[in-house]
Amino acid sequence: MTQPATNQADRSPTALRRSGSVHPIVSGFYPDPTICPVGEDYYLAHSSFEYFPGAPIFHSKDLVEWTQIGNILTRRNQFRRGDGKPSAGIYGSTLRHREGRFWFITTNVSDYNAGQLIVHTADPAGEWSDPIHIPEAIGIDPDLCWDDTGQCYLTWHALDFTTGEQSIRQAPLDLATGRFTAPDYPLWQGSGLPAAEGPHLYQIGDYWYLSLAEGGTERGHCITVARSTSPRGPFESCPSNPIFSRRSTIHPVQNVGHADLVLTPQGEWAAVYLGVRPRGSTPGFHVLGRETFLAGIEWRDGWPVFVEDRFDVPVTSTDFFDDFTSPELDMRWIVPGGEPATAVQLAESGGITILPPSSGGAGLLCTRVRDLQWTAEAAISGSGRFLLRLDDRHWYGLSLEAGRVKAQARIGGVQQDLAEIPATTNIVTFRIDVVPPSSAPVPVGDAGPDEVILSLIDGGMARELARLDGRYLSTEVASGFTGRVLAVAANSHPAVIHSVSYQGHPD
Ligand code: 6LW
């Protein structure tokens, strides 16, 4: 039986919408959060899958307001490309700080035979080290902890990528070499639900607490915990597991799991965790990927209890205007399966040239969508595309080539031109609007999560070329672990992108 995560008397949708747990602290496709405190500061990192640079890292002073300070994996020798397929690449991770140094351990599933991957640094906003691989630890979701003797332990979700056999395992680790200093062994395997993942160990008082995500990262996701007097176990399962879940509830944030606990300088505990905001008629469609949320943690009878509305999380602006005049690309820009340096040339007069894939580059540049409703525009000349994409088989967009403007859609194996008109100016401005669905998601309705409007700005007015159901750009339809991104791309010729603007429209 799940303990009531809070003592809220009123759990109606209206009441829940007022609770601070409705808004993410980092909105958009920033999943698998891992957090560490350093003095009065907090640092937060995320999985990033096939996108490069990988593992975005954020900073905060209050756990609520976060600013991205960089990406951890910025060199290909840290993040070997592999097949670059959708939802491959960088999975769940752990960020820790010890004796003046930051440690980040993760899995590149595009290079899974290399085992877990560790990088470290003294400056989290700067360059991180070359990788230390741990070939004895095949699987995902690695965690690092240290006991009072300074012995480091690697705990991870051992996964045989061919047989699918899986378990939570641990080994004492030599961080300098990435080698086990003794054979690995099984640890607590969770409360019995499938997909026990995301292990994190914390030494708190007389106990070592081991938290897990169980149930899989969909609607059955939950957080469980066990404790022991040793990091090696044996572990005692919490009698009220799962200690946090939204399964079988009407809460607007679902799929909650994959938590990491953090101790504040004031001696209180909190937790970051992932969740999704599904919209539309059943089964509900989430389009921004898994986002990062914040809860308080109270201790009752020696066990952690989630207090989901401890923090009031405001909606913060995610708006931007980029004319690419800065000497380097802004850290928001990422490339699926490739690297910006081979896809993009900064033009001296501002703007960028995106080279077509035939040149050997990825042919596009992306940035995460961070709001449920928003408007974006891109000024393009010559040849080019402006897309809302989930992956290379699920996207809606506008294309300029040979003086012709097209609205297009790709859903799975089907691609369709939806409208075609002549371009009326050398530099065209494409606009994408995402708005609520026109049909209300009544209990038995068939509404998608939103509608995507593709327009050409013509004579200062938005000329609508297509209006599409957003459900086909959701994770429930496309599958995988990522979320929507905005993309500017080349056609068969190089694209000149003069500027991109984005404006969120909060609920
Ligand atoms: C993550 C693991 C998971 O590493 O999905 O569903 C993986 N659970 O914890 C990618 O987010």
Side-chain angles (χ1 to χ4, degrees):
M1 193 275 281
T2 307
Q3 273 188 349
T6 67
N7 54 8
Q8 279 178 344
D10 176 358
R11 296 189 65 76
S12 67
T14 308
L16 284 171
R17 286 193 188 286
R18 282 200 302 271
S19 81
S21 63
V22 169
H23 298 300
I25 52 171
V26 181
S27 63
F29 146 50
Y30 292 98
D32 302 317
T34 178
I35 185 168
C36 77
V38 182
E40 300 289 320
D41 297 287
Y42 302 98
Y43 296 88
L44 178 69
H46 303 270
S47 54
S48 50
F49 303 96
E50 73 269 25
Y51 289 91
F52 185 85
I57 183 166
F58 290 75
H59 169 261
S60 174
K61 282 280 193 189
D62 61 8
L63 289 176
V64 171
E65 301 272 351
W66 291 90
T67 304
Q68 185 175 2
I69 59 173
N71 292 292
I72 295 175
L73 305 175
T74 55
R75 305 191 304 276
R76 271 302 177 189
N77 71 331
Q78 296 168 322
F79 173 7
R80 289 198 284 248
R81 181 182 175 282
D83 54 20
K85 286 179 181 165
S87 289
I90 303 303
Y91 268 44
S93 319
T94 297
L95 176 69
R96 294 293 182 255
H97 181 267
R98 177 179 170 79
E99 297 170 355
R101 186 149 285 272
F102 290 83
W103 296 88
F104 180 75
I105 185 169
T106 190
T107 314
N108 175 5
V109 301
S110 296
D111 187 26
Y112 69 81
N113 277 321
Q116 306 312 311
L117 177 155
I118 297 178
V119 292
H120 54 87
T121 187
D123 172 12
E127 287 289 312
W128 289 66
S129 71
D130 287 345
I132 302 158
H133 285 102
I134 310 175
E136 296 165 284
I138 301 299
I140 60 173
D141 293 359
D143 175 75
L144 293 178
C145 72
W146 289 262
D147 69 14
D148 295 336
T149 70
Q151 173 61 58
C152 179
Y153 292 91
L154 165 67
T155 306
W156 80 104
H157 174 77
L159 171 64
D160 182 317
F161 283 82
T162 48
T163 67
E165 189 186 339
Q166 47 191 310
S167 66
I168 301 293
R169 301 187 70 80
Q170 185 180 88
L173 183 70
D174 177 344
L175 269 178
T177 63
R179 306 300 302 201
F180 294 169
T181 56
D184 60 307
Y185 41 86
L187 218 58
W188 181 58
Q189 299 307 313
S191 66
L193 296 174
E197 298 169 326
H200 288 306
L201 269 162
Y202 312 91
Q203 185 178 19
I204 305 171
D206 300 331
Y207 289 108
W208 284 85
Y209 289 86
L210 171 60
S211 72
L212 295 179
E214 292 189 53
T217 197
E218 291 75 29
R219 299 289 189 266
H221 215 193
C222 64
I223 297 164
T224 58
V225 69
R227 70 186 182 191
S228 168
T229 54
S230 160
R232 297 164 171 256
F235 286 90
E236 166 202 6
S237 179
C238 177
S240 56
N241 274 333
I243 60 168
F244 186 39
S245 180
R246 294 271 174 72
R247 61 188 184 180
S248 308
T249 71
I250 57 169
H251 197 285
V253 177
Q254 288 289 318
N255 299 25
V256 297
H258 208 99
D260 198 4
L261 272 60
V262 62
L263 178 62
T264 72
Q266 295 73 34
E268 295 178 331
W269 284 88
V272 292
Y273 61 92
L274 71 77
V276 302
R277 293 187 280 171
R279 291 289 186 277
S281 302
T282 187
F285 306 91
H286 74 275
V287 299
L288 298 181
R290 293 156 312 148
E291 305 175 271
T292 287
F293 295 81
L294 176 68
I297 292 287
E298 279 181 1
W299 294 88
R300 295 180 198 158
D301 305 326
W303 293 107
V305 173
F306 273 70
V307 182
E308 56 192 287
D309 53 2
R310 162 77 56 74
F311 297 89
D312 268 334
V313 179
V315 176
T316 52
S317 171
T318 58
D319 299 357
F320 71 85
F321 174 80
D322 198 337
D323 57 6
F324 305 102
T325 48
S326 52
E328 291 186 357
L329 278 179
D330 188 281
M331 63 181 77
R332 70 167 68 86
W333 295 108
I334 48 179
V335 173
E339 24 280 296
T342 63
V344 168
Q345 290 171 348
L346 289 176
E348 288 177 10
S349 57
I352 51 172
T353 300
I354 299 184
L355 305 173
S358 56
S359 69
L364 79 168
L365 200 56
C366 303
T367 187
R368 295 169 175 86
V369 171
R370 307 199 55 193
D371 300 90
L372 294 171
Q373 279 93 43
W374 50 271
T375 295
E377 292 187 353
I380 297 175
S381 63
S383 160
R385 303 166 71 206
F386 187 42
L387 310 173
L388 174 61
R389 86 193 283 276
L390 207 123
D391 59 29
D392 53 359
R393 301 177 69 247
H394 299 84
W395 53 261
Y396 300 152
L398 292 144
S399 168
L400 168 67
E401 183 142 52
R404 306 290 297 174
V405 167
K406 285 182 182 176
Q408 301 171 307
R410 167 102 191 239
I411 300 171
V414 178
Q415 182 169 325
Q416 181 76 35
D417 288 355
L418 305 165
E420 180 173 352
I421 60 172
T424 53
T425 54
N426 281 336
I427 297 179
V428 301
T429 298
F430 288 146
R431 178 177 170 132
I432 300 177
D433 290 280
V434 169
V435 300
S438 46
S439 62
V442 293
V444 291
D446 65 351
D450 51 26
E451 285 180 354
V452 180
I453 304 169
L454 306 178
S455 306
L456 170 70
I457 300 299
D458 193 2
M461 300 295 289
R463 181 175 173 184
E464 182 176 315
L465 300 181
R467 181 182 288 252
L468 296 145
D469 184 333
R471 81 182 72 195
Y472 304 106
L473 304 189
S474 70
T475 305
E476 279 78 7
V477 167
S479 85
F481 297 112
T482 63
R484 284 177 181 175
V485 294
L486 260 182
V488 281
N491 263 315
S492 52
H493 297 91
V496 180
I497 314 294
H498 299 269
S499 66
V500 177
S501 66
Y502 173 93
Q503 184 182 24
H505 307 320
D507 273 347

